[in-house]
Amino acid sequence: KRRRVRSRRVLAAQFAGYIVMSAPDASRRRVATIASHVVTQSTNTFGVANSAGKFTKSPDDVVILDACRTPITRAKRGGLAQTCADDLIAAVLQAAVVRSKVNVHDIGDIVVGSVLGNSSQRANEVRIGGFLAGFPKEVPVRTVNRQCSSGLQACADVAASIKAGYYECGIGAGVETMTANPMKWEGGFNPRVASSLDAQNCLIPMGVTSENVAERWGITREAQDTMAARSHARAANARATGRFKNEIIPVFTKQTDPKTGETRDVVVSEDDGIREGTTVESLAKLPAVFKKGGSTTPGNASQVSDGAAAVVLARRSYAEAHGLPILATWRGFVAVGCDPAIMGIGPALAIPAVLKAVNLSVNDVDLYELNEAFASQATYCVEKLQLDPERVNVNGGAIALGHPLGATGARCMATLIHELRRRGGSGKIGITSMCIGSGAGAAAITEIE
């Protein structure tokens, strides 16, 4: 009997296929077009904009209650160089709960992006950080590593879990101490890598991938230095005018003088990698460091940094029932792979993908936080997507602020949300995006309440 049922289904499928294949080309194209529309509209469960570019609110929306970060400071020499990873994550977790007014016992999970810390040790450090922040033992913690997008991926994981009904409220965060955990390759290489060009390209130093992008698409040294100078100028202005005050939480830590051995209590409250007065002319004096005759320099690449950030997400119905402040609504997330040799182009692939998922265009977006891993790739993405430079990194980017790998995604989210809210008006749209080492790009879209 089962065989007969299966046979009928097979015949029905074959007959349906015959009808489709026998239809005129125009009809087939029409069916394919309709099918693609159905797939596109059904894949994003966080909402799709209508023809006017507006979203409809739902009790099932995933909303953002708070987004905060530590200052981003220079590795080895900055204000947080002697601060442990567990203290960094504890600072933002504690602040995020206080600022969002959420009941700590309602947190279903804490997901922390981290790239360079030893995997098992870092998992323990963020668990310790949760306890130092006052979280009860019932609140679980885990880490996630998707290279430079790890902090954003942590937020996406929490948003997806809330949407799936696993819990009502969670925290997506990120932490990196590049002082304690510098970038390096541990162990040997698999000899099978030689059999795959893509696999080989995963081993290309990030600075060389920057040179590859610059050479392939003609991104000049002047264009890169221009973006770098603009990043510092905008960040310096943002710091001077207090634009970061709503996102930065001060870190109370200790510093030991290496010469005297004296330890003192300090409060780190500002980013310390911003170089006010940086110009294209001053940057032009710096040598290329990844390729002879190249164009990527220490001045037009992101800084090596320490820092942490956290984003509190919840179901709208939960937030409203508990009278919690809603800053923004999570509207979508996409990660897209690309050639590892030119990994910096990732945002140019991810941004259109996330916009398509929510039925918007690049011009519908009010602000972009595009991680400046390198000026070469950031410039390429802006030009490729024809983004308005006045909407991209309006308060500076990673070239000026720094790039603590695992924290950057959550840091960008905090910077984006608070700047959009500072500009006023509900319904404003923002995108956070970055390239990813080994070849990928990620992008998330949020709507301000």
Side-chain angles (χ1 to χ4, degrees), residues 22 53 110 161 236 254 277 322 365 411 427:
S22 300
I110 301 172
S161 294
K254 295 180 183 295
H322 292 81
V365 179
R411 192 284 298 172

Side-chain angles (χ1 to χ4, degrees), residues 346-409:
L349 304 175
I351 289 173
V354 78
L355 286 170
K356 181 180 180 182
V358 298
N359 193 35
L360 292 177
S361 71
V362 293
N363 294 324
D364 293 319
V365 179
D366 295 283
L367 291 179
Y368 291 87
E369 274 295 317
L370 175 63
N371 187 46
E372 297 166 350
F374 299 96
S376 61
Q377 56 82 212
T379 299
Y380 166 80
C381 292
V382 170
E383 293 180 352
K384 175 67 175 178
L385 300 177
Q386 297 183 330
L387 305 182
D388 180 356
E390 296 305 312
R391 298 186 184 190
V392 181
N393 298 349
V394 295
N395 290 330
I399 291 173
L401 297 173
H403 180 20
L405 307 185
T408 287

Side-chain angles (χ1 to χ4, degrees), residues 164-214:
Y166 294 156
Y167 45 79
E168 295 292 285
C169 183
I171 299 177
V175 64
E176 208 71 70
T177 168
M178 298 179 78
T179 295
N181 306 112
M183 296 181 68
K184 62 180 180 179
W185 184 274
E186 297 182 355
F189 298 98
N190 185 341
R192 292 187 62 205
V193 167
S195 67
S196 166
L197 180 59
D198 286 336
Q200 293 173 46
N201 288 343
C202 288
L203 303 178
I204 296 175
M206 294 298 95
V208 176
T209 71
S210 170
E211 294 286 4
N212 291 344
V213 170

Side-chain angles (χ1 to χ4, degrees), residues 61-136:
D61 285 341
V62 175
V63 296
I64 295 171
L65 308 183
D66 187 59
C68 64
R69 67 176 179 93
T70 68
I72 306 302
T73 67
R74 296 173 297 168
K76 306 292 185 183
R77 297 174 296 163
L80 299 175
Q82 297 179 33
T83 305
C84 300
D86 37 16
D87 282 329
L88 288 174
I89 196 65
V92 290
L93 291 179
Q94 186 176 58
V97 168
V98 171
R99 287 158 52 114
S100 66
K101 300 180 174 61
V102 70
N103 185 335
V104 68
H105 295 278
D106 290 345
I107 301 294
D109 200 2
I110 301 172
V111 183
V112 182
S114 180
V115 178
L116 300 176
N118 178 278
S119 180
S120 59
Q121 180 174 321
R122 184 51 48 85
N124 269 313
E125 287 171 341
V126 297
R127 176 65 163 159
I128 291 169
F131 289 136
L132 295 178
F135 282 74

Side-chain angles (χ1 to χ4, degrees), residues 161-338:
S161 294
I162 293 171
K163 179 64 74 170
Y166 294 156
Y167 45 79
E168 295 292 285
C169 183
I171 299 177
V175 64
E176 208 71 70
T177 168
M178 298 179 78
T179 295
N181 306 112
M183 296 181 68
K184 62 180 180 179
W185 184 274
E186 297 182 355
F189 298 98
N190 185 341
R192 292 187 62 205
V193 167
S195 67
S196 166
L197 180 59
D198 286 336
Q200 293 173 46
N201 288 343
C202 288
L203 303 178
I204 296 175
M206 294 298 95
V208 176
T209 71
S210 170
E211 294 286 4
N212 291 344
V213 170
E215 181 177 351
R216 184 174 300 190
W217 284 283
I219 309 299
T220 66
R221 168 70 182 269
E222 183 180 8
Q224 294 173 60
D225 287 347
T226 297
M227 171 171 276
R230 182 169 64 237
S231 183
H232 281 285
R234 288 179 173 180
N237 178 262
R239 182 174 61 183
T241 57
R243 289 191 181 187
F244 294 137
K245 65 183 178 66
N246 289 330
E247 65 189 75
I248 292 180
I249 57 103
V251 178
F252 297 83
T253 188
K254 295 180 183 295
Q255 293 178 352
T256 300
D257 188 315
K259 295 181 179 179
T260 66
E262 179 186 359
T263 299
R264 62 192 180 96
D265 294 326
V266 298
V267 180
V268 182
S269 58
E270 286 191 342
D271 305 313
D272 64 19
I274 303 168
R275 295 190 293 274
E276 188 173 359
T278 297
T279 64
V280 174
E281 290 73 25
S282 64
L283 290 170
K285 299 175 183 178
L286 298 174
V289 291
F290 296 103
K291 178 182 177 181
K292 185 177 181 179
S295 57
T296 299
T297 75
N300 59 36
S302 58
Q303 297 182 41
V304 178
S305 312
D306 304 323
V311 180
V312 183
L313 302 101
R315 194 180 309 278
R316 183 186 295 278
S317 57
Y318 168 88
E320 292 179 344
H322 292 81
L324 303 178
I326 296 176
L327 303 184
T329 304
W330 181 274
R331 288 302 183 189
F333 170 81
V334 167
V336 182
C338 66

